[in-house]
Amino acid sequence: CLMHELFDTVIAVRLETTEESLVGVVDKVIVVDSCMYVLDKFKTKSVKRFTLEGKYLNVIGQYGEGPEMQREVTDFCISENEVLILDQFQSKIFINYHFPEILNYSLWQTDSCFKVNNRLAYKEKEKYQNILERNSLASFSDTLYYKKTWSDTIFSISPEGEMKYEYIIDLNGKAVPQELIRKGNENIWPREIEEGKYVIIDTYAITSDYIYA
């Protein structure tokens, strides 16, 4: 699939370069209404909001070492006017701020008072390696999607917090077994992936006609 088949117009936007607006690398961009949300995973470890003309507006959330602060922004998604930020290394998702930590679950849904209503995507945290993906969350047509690390399976999450299988990407028998990313296998999977035994999916996008991965 060629770029001109997906887009009819490409616009380059120069972002404002004040001290507070600088980003290292643009890892992800989401445009909603009149704003751009820009993810920089490694340099500033933040999500920053700009106008469509590139003027800096603000940073999303609080960053630091405090108990209610984001430390390592892994991914983010915008759903129903809420900015959901994934901090994989703390095993937390923030909606602009802190979610209560719940061990062994990758996703949590709360009400406006932060009472946890649902726990989703069970995973024994201490038994698995922390592997950074380019994106785990995606949204399309008011639906939120989630994919586990290197998995071939994409789940949809309803507003009521129900999680169900939505898509399975056919990798011709080369999907990475979740057992391979358990702790203790750190020296095994790099070799097997390099040898072509498995195919990694660490980013994806959903449209009305295709899933791009």
Side-chain angles (χ1 to χ4, degrees), residues 129 180 184-195 198:
Q129 304 167 51
L180 194 63
N185 293 331
E186 292 87 347
N187 296 323
I188 299 176
W189 61 259
R191 180 182 68 254
E192 295 191 344
I193 290 172
E194 185 177 350
E195 292 173 351
Y198 300 112

Side-chain angles (χ1 to χ4, degrees), residues 93-120:
I93 290 182
F94 299 79
I95 301 183
N96 295 340
Y97 33 85
H98 176 63
F99 255 28
E101 182 178 15
I102 303 173
L103 294 176
N104 296 329
Y105 289 87
S106 297
L107 301 173
W108 314 280
Q109 183 190 51
T110 74
D111 61 18
S112 59
C113 295
F114 302 104
K115 176 185 176 183
V116 177
N117 294 324
N118 291 291
R119 308 175 184 189
L120 307 172

Side-chain angles (χ1 to χ4, degrees), residues 40-55:
D40 175 13
K41 290 184 182 181
F42 301 107
K43 185 66 175 180
T44 63
K45 303 177 182 179
S46 64
V47 176
K48 295 182 177 181
R49 187 165 67 106
F50 297 81
T51 68
L52 296 183
E53 292 73 37
K55 180 176 176 55

